[in-house]
Amino acid sequence: MAKPPPGRGWYAVAGTVTALGLIAATVVLVIGVRSWLDGFPDLGERFRGGETVRIDVRAGETVMLYASPDSAPAEYVCEGEVAGSPIQVTESRTFTFFSGLQTWAARYELVADQTGTGQLTCVAPAGRGAELLAVGEMPDNGRLLRILGTTIAIAGGAALISVAVGGGMVLGVWRRRRPRRG
């Protein structure tokens, strides 16, 4: 005795499997992007060119001077000291990101020989400065790329697998329901 062809219930199961897989992929994507955004450097106090700002540094550790908007020229002369020792300032253009509805670009690396709280003043030629400056941590570009790559791989894989499984189920049901040729 031949089995009756599968009913429409299998189409609903295929749709449910696909939908749940796509929902899971979306959740992974949202969580991953949020982790990626949380991995951006923390910015300290924002200040304008010519103002003096307090900064906390560790001996030999690099912190960054960020400028906003990211398109602002990077022609600053920065001077600072920690415990009587000057802060070394070198140009850097390694990282641009969004924070607080603004774009920030890494402009200078700041390194001190002493650990402690110091002062930093950055001055730009007249009319050549950014709207805002901030001193923040050095970005971990490798970590950010790993988070983004892993998120895309897992979310993309989950979406692809769910569509393939759901599509395979529909194709299997459709093939069984087709009338057989003689």
Side-chain angles (χ1 to χ4, degrees):
M1 179 187 251
K3 288 185 178 178
R8 293 191 189 271
W10 282 103
Y11 291 122
V13 171
T16 301
V17 166
T18 303
L20 289 175
L22 292 176
I23 289 169
T26 302
V27 168
V28 167
L29 186 63
V30 168
I31 291 170
V33 168
R34 188 162 184 146
S35 295
W36 180 64
L37 292 173
D38 288 344
F40 286 168
D42 290 328
L43 297 177
E45 180 182 343
R46 283 139 170 100
F47 62 102
R48 300 199 181 283
E51 296 178 351
T52 299
V53 65
R54 291 172 44 118
I55 62 170
D56 294 317
V57 293
R58 289 193 171 144
E61 221 174 81
T62 302
V63 294
M64 301 296 292
L65 176 72
Y66 293 96
S68 179
D70 63 331
S71 59
E75 299 176 5
Y76 282 91
V77 175
C78 296
E79 294 180 352
E81 68 175 39
V82 175
S85 178
I87 295 173
Q88 299 169 23
V89 180
T90 55
E91 208 170 313
S92 173
R93 291 185 177 258
T94 61
F95 192 73
T96 300
F97 66 101
F98 295 98
S99 176
L101 301 176
Q102 294 176 305
T103 56
W104 291 90
R107 293 301 167 92
Y108 293 99
E109 294 180 9
L110 310 172
V111 179
D113 293 335
Q114 303 289 325
T115 297
T117 301
Q119 294 186 348
L120 178 72
T121 305
C122 294
V123 179
R128 300 284 298 162
E131 293 176 14
L132 288 174
L133 301 171
V135 175
E137 60 189 12
M138 182 84 161
D140 186 350
N141 293 338
R143 179 177 176 267
L144 290 169
L145 287 174
R146 283 189 304 275
I147 290 171
L148 190 59
T150 302
T151 298
I152 290 170
I154 292 173
L160 186 63
I161 289 170
S162 67
V163 169
V165 169
M169 290 175 74
V170 167
L171 183 61
V173 169
W174 177 77
R175 290 181 105 190
R176 287 185 185 172
R177 292 189 67 151
R178 258 188 354 190
R180 300 205 186 258
R181 293 187 185 171

